[in-house]
Amino acid sequence: MKNSFIKIGVFSYFILNTLSAIGAPVPPPPENGAPPPPGAPLDERLYLLLGVGLLYAFYYYKNYHTKKASE
């Protein structure tokens, strides 16, 4: 039950984060000069996403080795 809750939570976080990045408003281009190059949708949240991924990987492997040792 706990394992499925974590998987569903992480999956829903990524889906909601993707939907919010896609639905973000785009600023209008400047009137004079070349428009700035487009940025990736995860520019500001890249470190947060990396941190969540590392924490999840640490948690997963810690539990994997604990289960394997108890068998």
Side-chain angles (χ1 to χ4, degrees):
M1 177 71 180
K2 186 177 181 182
N3 194 16
S4 64
F5 177 71
I6 291 175
K7 286 181 183 179
I8 290 171
V10 170
F11 180 73
S12 62
Y13 174 78
F14 285 122
I15 293 296
L16 293 174
N17 190 18
T18 303
L19 292 175
S20 67
I22 291 172
V26 179
E31 293 182 11
N32 50 359
L42 297 175
D43 279 347
E44 297 174 0
R45 298 185 188 132
L46 194 58
Y47 292 116
L48 177 65
L49 188 61
L50 178 65
V52 169
L54 288 174
L55 286 174
Y56 180 72
F58 175 74
Y59 178 78
Y60 178 79
Y61 284 117
K62 179 182 159 196
N63 286 339
Y64 177 74
H65 289 298
T66 304
K67 286 181 184 177
K68 194 172 186 179
S70 67
E71 290 178 354

